[in-house]
Amino acid sequence: MAAILETRDVVIRFGGLVAVNLLNIEVEKGEIISIIGPNGAGKTTAFNLITGVYKPTEGVILFDGERISGKRPDEIAKIGIARTFQNIRLFKSLTVLENVLIATHLNIKSNLFSSVLKTPKARKEEKEMVEYAEFLLKETGLLHLKDEKAENLPYGLQRRLEIARALATKPKILLLDEPAAGMNPKESDDLTEFIKNIRDKFNLTILLIEHHMQLVMSISDRIYVLEYGITIAKGKPQEIQENPAVIKAYLGEENDDLC
Amino acid sequence: MEKKKRNLILSVVSILVLIGFIIWAEECTKAFGVYNQRIFKTCCIYAICALSMNMVNGYTGLFSLGQPGFMAIGAYVTAFLTVTPSDKIAIYKIVPISEGLANLNAPFFIALIIGGLVAAFFAFLIGFPVLSLKGDYLAIATLGFSEIIRIFITNAQGLTNGPTGINRIPNDFMNLYVLCGILALVVIFILSMMKTSYGRALLAIREDEVAAQAMGINLFKHKMLAFIISGFLAGIGGGLLASLVGAIDPNQFKFTVAYDILLMVVLGGQGSVSGCIAGAFIVRIALEKLRFLDEPINFGIFEYPGIGGMRMVVFSILLMLVIIKWRKGIFGNEEFSWDKVFNFFSKFKKAPKKEVEK
Ligand SMILES: Nc1ncnc2c1ncn2[C@@H]1O[C@H](COP(=O)(O)OP(=O)(O)OP(=O)(O)O)[C@@H](O)[C@H]1O
Ligand SMILES: [Mg+2]
């Protein structure tokens, strides 16, 4: 099968620092792939490269065989790559529903004038947008909070709302940056189920950055391990757990987490 | 449901009262006073200018100070098109106006809209270089634009009559019905627009540019949209001002005008239509009503000599106090609602009760 997302020898330098070095990730349709590695390994930077926030210094990124490196983040979102952020970036003073609605804007067909004048077509489109947003909120268990301001949500639900918002762009691939951060074991178990669920329901491919080893090991089809921007290992969860380089470099002190 | 009905009734009643007041203020010139009428009219015009700034600064979260430039464009276009050809020939003394230009003429409302459109076109043109700038840089660039426009107007003698400016601008339509009507149209447009997906996209940019872009919002396109609408509204405001005042010259559009408008927006609440209107009225009325501070006052025992500019000092102090109390302006970024009024007053009612309990 051809890869849906592929990075080819991607390098990015910030001044003297090589944050990501020769990154070669291949993701196939329907897979859940994890990227792990110690703090500062370049995981989030890899996401920022894929979503167009940064342009690679070298290398190319392909989506469905087409080059996306060099495109703007909004263009890449339109092509079908959505993401969440490590340090939650919701539209804080807007409501939960508005947060999700905004992410449906990229597919809008009505222009400004027909929207303001509420032509039948524009009205219908707006209604469909609201219905879809409410459907996503229902799927993510947030519907009863739709009129709440995003900033008033507890942390765990804010993370969920970020996922709902990302889904609203109708992505083909979803990039989750530490979705379980700050969650207790029970919550992160729920999250595992939730991620598998949305993958099946929305026909998604998922790329995941996570520190919770249990979640990573139980959910991933394959794992990439980064350290100082270099891919030090890749493979199935089992292989990663047994890989001496990984154990030494990354899991040395956290060995307990592996079991 | 109860509350909804109550709010609806209150809204209808207050709109009727407001309309009644406008009719009274316009018709009973003697009772209301020509001076007060004029303040009211100026307030309406500045409210439009404040709403223009709010589009970019309040909703989209950019910091632009281009209003004087856009207002000047709107004012000069409107003035140029409404002053009669014979008046124009009489006014342009230093560099005579060419016959073709003198004969360019349009009815007031058409001239006003053309003024708005020309201002919007300039917004579009300067949007390309400046909208990629962030924060203070955008403010500086747009302020620079305003100054360039002013200097251009000062020097384009044959077109603008230079530093002397244009006078004899007809003010046939400068009654409260027209001004309040235009303000109402602007308000309705903005409120409807902010309820559409495009309005939400602007708010998203204000809240978090990075996230907005990641969700597929084309930042440049949407900032440009806000900028063009803002330019149009400022152009309309400028055109109305020209017609109300009857005479314009480049110095009326100095960059300090941008600060006056910024003051209204910040005081009322960035991102709030109600706030901008309240801000415009409060600032204009306060500036007028504090005028007595600049003139001598006799307190009997001691005579206050009247210090020029004293009203600005007092006004600024009052303003600081207000901003300290309401950091985000009187309305914050929210709209007026009856529920809030009732909540506000119930706070006062409850407070003394608690004291009794203690
Ligand atoms: N815009 C930038 N400019 C300069 N350096 C950067 C920039 N973005 C990231 N870096 C650097 O790149 C390195 C990788 O950062 P990155 O955020 O990708 O790490 P990470 O693997 O996501 O770590 P964490 O687990 O802490 O989130 C760090 O040393 C970081 O300081
Ligand atoms: Mg990170």
Side-chain angles (χ1 to χ4, degrees):
Chain A
M1 221 161 85
I4 182 170
L5 180 71
E6 191 183 343
T7 69
R8 282 194 196 152
D9 295 332
V10 168
V11 178
I12 184 162
R13 288 191 199 92
F14 296 115
L17 176 83
V18 187
V20 167
N21 200 356
L22 295 175
L23 184 70
N24 282 289
I25 294 181
E26 272 184 44
V27 186
E28 282 177 16
K29 197 162 183 308
E31 277 189 310
I32 298 184
I33 303 293
S34 290
I35 302 177
I36 63 172
N39 292 111
K43 306 180 295 294
T44 299
T45 305
F47 270 22
N48 283 336
L49 284 163
I50 295 168
T51 54
V53 176
Y54 301 142
K55 292 187 177 40
T57 319
E58 290 165 29
V60 291
I61 302 171
L62 304 173
F63 180 77
D64 259 345
E66 273 185 47
R67 185 191 171 124
I68 56 167
S69 38
K71 287 192 193 297
R72 289 193 314 267
D74 55 295
E75 294 173 316
I76 291 173
K78 264 193 173 160
I79 291 171
I81 303 180
R83 73 177 292 182
T84 65
F85 294 91
Q86 181 173 353
N87 28 16
I88 306 179
R89 303 191 83 128
L90 288 168
F91 307 123
K92 283 191 199 140
S93 73
L94 306 183
T95 68
V96 167
L97 179 64
E98 284 169 331
N99 267 271
V100 181
L101 275 174
I102 284 162
T104 64
H105 182 68
L106 80 177
N107 289 319
I108 197 165
K109 292 195 188 66
S110 320
N111 60 32
L112 174 69
F113 288 100
S114 51
S115 300
V116 172
L117 296 173
K118 292 209 181 93
T119 61
K121 247 193 190 167
R123 207 184 286 217
K124 183 162 163 268
E125 191 174 25
E126 170 79 10
K127 199 174 146 237
E128 283 166 1
M129 286 162 83
V130 173
E131 274 167 8
Y132 191 61
E134 288 184 343
F135 160 73
L136 290 174
L137 287 176
K138 202 167 150 228
E139 288 298 313
T140 45
L142 293 167
L143 188 57
H144 61 294
L145 296 168
K146 69 176 174 135
D147 295 321
E148 201 64 49
K149 270 192 186 177
E151 63 189 348
N152 295 339
L153 257 51
Y155 186 76
L157 294 185
Q158 291 199 3
R159 288 219 172 268
R160 249 172 207 241
L161 178 54
E162 269 218 331
I163 296 177
R165 184 179 69 174
L167 289 174
T169 64
K170 302 203 171 158
K172 298 196 180 95
I173 177 164
L174 181 60
L175 275 48
L176 301 172
D177 198 342
E178 304 200 16
M183 288 187 177
N184 63 34
K186 164 82 177 62
E187 286 171 325
S188 81
D189 277 354
D190 291 349
L191 186 72
T192 310
E193 279 314 299
F194 176 72
I195 293 174
K196 283 183 177 162
N197 240 327
I198 55 170
R199 190 248 327 244
D200 297 339
K201 199 161 242 161
F202 296 96
N203 244 328
L204 288 172
T205 305
I206 288 173
L207 200 57
L208 181 80
I209 297 175
E210 207 21 272
H211 283 299
H212 282 52
M213 276 311 134
Q214 212 181 349
L215 190 154
V216 170
M217 291 305 164
S218 64
I219 206 174
S220 313
D221 294 312
R222 288 184 298 118
I223 298 170
Y224 288 83
V225 187
L226 300 191
E227 192 190 23
Y228 298 119
I230 298 165
T231 314
I232 58 165
K234 59 180 180 179
K236 298 219 151 64
Q238 189 73 30
E239 297 164 6
I240 297 299
Q241 286 182 50
E242 289 161 0
N243 186 316
V246 177
I247 295 171
K248 183 165 164 259
Y250 171 48
L251 303 163
E253 341 92 79
E254 291 181 68
N255 222 345
D256 310 338
D257 277 11
L258 269 177
C259 319
Chain B
M1 270 293 115
E2 276 279 283
K3 263 190 185 171
K4 260 194 181 164
K5 213 171 160 194
R6 177 199 72 192
N7 292 350
L8 184 69
I9 294 170
L10 280 170
S11 301
V12 171
V13 170
S14 26
I15 287 173
L16 287 177
V17 168
L18 188 65
I19 292 175
F21 175 73
I22 292 168
I23 294 173
W24 174 77
E26 177 62 36
E27 299 300 331
C28 307
T29 309
K30 265 200 182 143
F32 189 55
V34 178
Y35 176 57
N36 285 338
Q37 252 182 6
R38 191 165 175 95
I39 296 177
F40 195 172
K41 288 174 186 170
T42 320
C43 286
C44 290
I45 294 174
Y46 273 95
I48 293 169
C49 298
L51 289 169
S52 146
M53 183 180 271
N54 184 48
M55 197 75 217
V56 171
N57 299 32
Y59 288 141
T60 321
L62 302 172
F63 188 18
S64 156
L65 296 170
Q67 266 62 30
F70 299 127
M71 285 166 71
I73 293 170
Y76 270 85
V77 171
T78 306
F80 193 84
L81 291 178
T82 51
V83 174
T84 60
S86 55
D87 276 349
K88 257 185 261 179
I89 290 163
I91 296 165
Y92 285 61
K93 285 199 183 96
I94 299 176
V95 177
I97 190 166
S98 73
E99 196 159 323
L101 284 175
N103 284 329
L104 276 181
N105 221 269
F108 174 69
F109 288 102
I110 305 230
L112 187 65
I113 288 172
I114 293 176
L117 290 176
V118 174
F121 181 67
F122 271 84
F124 171 74
L125 287 184
I126 68 152
F128 282 98
V130 305
L131 284 179
S132 54
L133 300 173
K134 297 222 153 108
D136 306 341
Y137 296 106
L138 177 63
I140 294 165
T142 44
L143 213 51
F145 156 78
S146 292
E147 280 299 280
I148 291 170
I149 291 294
R150 194 173 64 85
I151 290 162
F152 171 80
I153 289 171
T154 312
N155 291 296
Q157 285 273 3
L159 193 63
T160 62
N161 202 24
T164 328
I166 300 177
N167 55 19
R168 302 192 200 176
I169 305 166
N171 63 351
D172 310 335
F173 294 99
M174 286 303 105
N175 57 52
L176 280 170
Y177 304 136
V178 167
L179 288 168
C180 292
I182 293 177
L183 176 57
L185 279 179
V186 169
V187 167
I188 291 168
F189 170 77
I190 291 176
L191 290 179
S192 341
M193 168 167 170
M194 293 319 289
K195 279 199 192 118
T196 70
S197 189
Y198 290 91
R200 289 192 295 263
L202 299 188
L203 295 179
I205 294 174
R206 173 188 78 191
E207 294 290 307
D208 191 324
E209 223 175 90
V210 173
Q213 198 179 24
M215 296 307 130
I217 292 172
N218 183 332
L219 297 180
F220 179 75
K221 197 175 126 193
H222 286 84
K223 286 179 183 178
M224 183 63 105
L225 185 72
F227 206 56
I228 289 174
I229 294 172
S230 169
F232 178 79
L233 294 177
I236 296 286
L240 292 172
L241 204 62
S243 182
L244 180 71
V245 178
I248 51 171
D249 66 73
N251 281 334
Q252 286 169 12
F253 302 98
K254 275 197 176 148
F255 62 89
T256 48
V257 173
Y259 299 140
D260 291 345
I261 298 170
L262 184 67
L263 198 69
M264 298 169 188
V265 177
V266 171
L267 176 72
Q270 295 200 53
S272 162
V273 169
S274 338
C276 288
I277 298 173
F281 275 74
I282 292 170
V283 170
R284 291 309 315 174
I285 293 174
L287 280 179
E288 290 298 333
K289 296 294 174 188
L290 289 175
R291 237 177 238 288
F292 71 90
L293 289 170
D294 290 2
E295 276 132 39
I297 309 169
N298 197 342
F299 288 103
I301 323 161
F302 116 104
E303 193 163 330
Y304 167 74
I307 303 163
M310 192 60 188
R311 70 179 171 136
M312 283 316 291
V313 175
V314 173
F315 178 70
S316 303
I317 291 170
L318 288 178
L319 194 79
M320 275 194 259
L321 292 176
V322 173
I323 293 292
I324 288 167
K325 170 117 177 61
W326 290 292
R327 244 151 242 269
K328 290 186 167 172
I330 301 170
F331 283 85
N333 61 14
E334 286 165 13
E335 291 307 335
F336 170 87
S337 87
W338 290 110
D339 290 339
K340 271 179 225 141
V341 176
F342 280 94
N343 288 343
F344 184 78
F345 282 109
S346 62
K347 254 189 250 159
F348 281 97
K349 266 185 216 156
K350 270 177 202 157
K353 257 188 205 162
K354 267 186 197 161
E355 277 173 12
V356 175
E357 278 163 24
K358 275 174 200 166

